């Protein structure tokens, strides 16, 4: 698979890159970013942390505002940030231009309905195509993978981890949507991308997956108490209850005064990278 380098720049002794490729999953060009920390030995395989972004984001939001590079350089972790939807000419968008559906809002599912199913195949993209591409081009140790994400991307991180037991040694999330079947953002996205049969939504709902028997090793989640989406869209208490019932060790931290923004994410990014580093150590 061919990879085009959009940019590469030295940072914290490593290289922050942005790359583009033709995606078979989405039928579009896709852009993603990768930070490779300085390697003690050339050719050494390093652990990788996947970061799935939220509504309205591309790879650029976390790359520019996530403040992950110092910690990734310290702990020797490769950081990969995909886009959140297909883009480009002919890719359909929300008919009213809403920001919570369509472009920038792929919800990490393979759409099954028209017109979305032609391009909106972000599940296949982040769970299969991109991992294979990254493994071909970067020095990752596939046995040491972690995954995290924000909001819609927290939902993506949780569902990808829950449905790939054994792939990820470490899982965390920032302000995740935990039960998309039960909140307005998820209801809109899943009904449009997957149709009205709600049984088809369960594989894309972290709380439903846990209720249906899926498990994680353990889990770190941060939410901001001043997040305007907390009560209506995020509902961390549903995850708390599901994890308690399932015996999943959830560390849920409610951070006073913090909102939903990258000011919140970047504040706790070091904690999350440390969490992953402890579980990804050789
Ligand atoms: N454009 C909206 C705000 C949308 C927003 O808050 N997006 C979040 C993710 S929300 C859940 O998935 C985000 O990360 N935005 C990018 C950023 O750089 O902050 C509005 O205007 O209200």
């Amino acid at each position: 698979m061919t990879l085009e380098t959009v940019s590469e720049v030295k940072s914290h002794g490593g290289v922050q890159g942005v790359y583009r490729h033709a995606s078979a999953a989405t039928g579009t060009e896709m852009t993603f970013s990768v930070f490779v920390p300085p390697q003690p030995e050339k050719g050494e395989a390093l652990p990788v942390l996947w970061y799935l972004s939220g509504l309205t984001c591309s790879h650029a939001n976390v790359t520019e505002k996530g403040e992950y590079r110092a910690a990734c350089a310290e702990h020797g972790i490769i950081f990969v940030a995909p886009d959140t939807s297909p883009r480009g000419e002919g890719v359909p968008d929300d008919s009213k231009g809403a920001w919570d559906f369509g472009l920038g809002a792929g919800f990490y599912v393979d759409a099954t309905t028209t017109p979305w199913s032609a391009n909106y195949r972000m599940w296949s993209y982040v769970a299969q195509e991109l991992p294979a591409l990254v493994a071909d081009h970067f020095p990752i140790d596939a046995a040491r993978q972690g995954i995290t994400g924000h909001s819609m991307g927290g939902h993506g991180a949780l569902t990808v981890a829950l449905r790939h037991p054994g792939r990820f040694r470490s899982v965390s999330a920032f302000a995740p949507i935990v039960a998309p079947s039960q909140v307005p953002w998820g209801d809109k996205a899943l009904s449009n991308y997957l149709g009205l049969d709600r049984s088809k939504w369960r594989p894309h709902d972290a709380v439903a997956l846990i209720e249906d028997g899926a498990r994680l090793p353990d889990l770190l989640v941060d939410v901001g108490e001043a997040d305007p989406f907390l009560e209506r869209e995020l509902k961390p208490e549903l995850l708390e209850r599901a994890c308690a019932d399932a015996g999943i060790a959830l560390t849920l931290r409610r951070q006073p005064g913090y909102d939903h923004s990258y000011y919140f994410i970047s504040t706790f990014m070091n904690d999350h990278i440390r969490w992953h580093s402890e579980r990804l150590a050789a």
Side-chain angles (χ1 to χ4, degrees):
M1 284 179 277
T2 314
L3 198 59
E4 178 192 344
T5 300
V6 177
S7 63
E8 283 185 337
V9 60
K10 185 168 181 179
S11 181
H12 292 275
V15 176
Q16 177 63 63
V18 176
Y19 307 93
R20 189 185 297 135
H21 69 111
S23 166
T26 66
T28 64
E29 291 211 315
M30 294 293 287
T31 303
F32 63 97
S33 74
V34 180
F35 175 67
V36 180
Q39 291 157 269
E41 287 172 41
K42 205 162 171 53
E44 185 194 11
L46 298 176
V48 57
L49 178 58
W50 298 88
Y51 177 95
L52 302 186
S53 295
L55 293 164
T56 73
C57 291
S58 69
H59 70 281
N61 300 67
V62 69
T63 306
E64 293 164 5
K65 300 191 287 190
E67 298 182 21
Y68 55 82
R69 276 175 289 270
C72 283
E74 180 189 342
H75 297 293
I77 295 175
I78 291 177
F79 190 98
V80 184
D83 204 343
T84 58
S85 80
R87 300 177 195 271
E89 208 174 321
V91 175
D93 191 11
D94 184 279
S95 58
K96 299 191 178 92
W99 57 266
D100 58 359
F101 182 72
L103 296 182
F107 258 87
Y108 305 102
V109 302
D110 283 350
T112 54
T113 57
T114 309
W116 316 105
S117 55
N119 307 110
Y120 284 78
R121 298 179 49 80
M122 290 302 292
W123 179 265
S124 293
Y125 182 68
V126 298
Q128 289 153 22
E129 185 177 26
L130 188 60
L133 183 76
V134 167
D136 273 356
H137 290 87
F138 298 91
I140 67 158
D141 178 353
R144 291 188 291 155
Q145 299 191 57
I147 190 163
T148 187
H150 171 229
S151 196
M152 176 185 72
H155 140 75
L158 293 174
T159 54
V160 170
L162 283 161
R163 287 175 56 187
H164 293 87
R167 185 189 289 190
F168 301 99
R169 281 202 210 168
S170 54
V171 186
S172 76
F174 301 88
I177 302 168
V178 302
S181 312
Q182 302 185 48
V183 301
W185 278 343
D187 193 68
K188 178 176 180 181
L190 299 184
S191 61
N192 279 288
Y193 289 137
L194 302 178
L196 298 178
D197 176 357
R198 297 174 77 92
S199 68
K200 302 280 193 327
W201 302 8
R202 291 187 78 79
H204 291 288
D205 182 308
V207 165
L209 282 164
I210 294 169
E211 287 170 358
D212 292 347
R215 294 292 178 263
L216 295 171
D218 55 5
L219 175 60
L220 170 64
V221 171
D222 276 305
V223 296
E225 287 187 342
D227 186 325
F229 304 121
L230 190 62
E231 288 173 16
R232 188 175 148 91
E233 305 285 0
L234 308 181
K235 295 189 176 292
E237 66 280 4
L238 298 179
L239 181 67
E240 197 167 34
R241 195 179 319 139
C243 286
D245 290 348
I248 296 172
L250 167 67
T251 302
L252 173 61
R253 308 191 307 185
R254 292 180 167 85
Q255 305 289 2
Y258 286 90
D259 65 10
H260 198 65
S261 71
Y262 271 88
Y263 293 104
F264 155 68
I265 297 168
S266 59
T267 300
F268 300 104
M269 184 60 86
N270 280 355
D271 291 359
H272 283 243
I273 290 172
R274 194 177 319 112
W275 168 275
H276 288 275
S277 163
E278 286 165 5
R279 286 154 183 79
L280 296 174

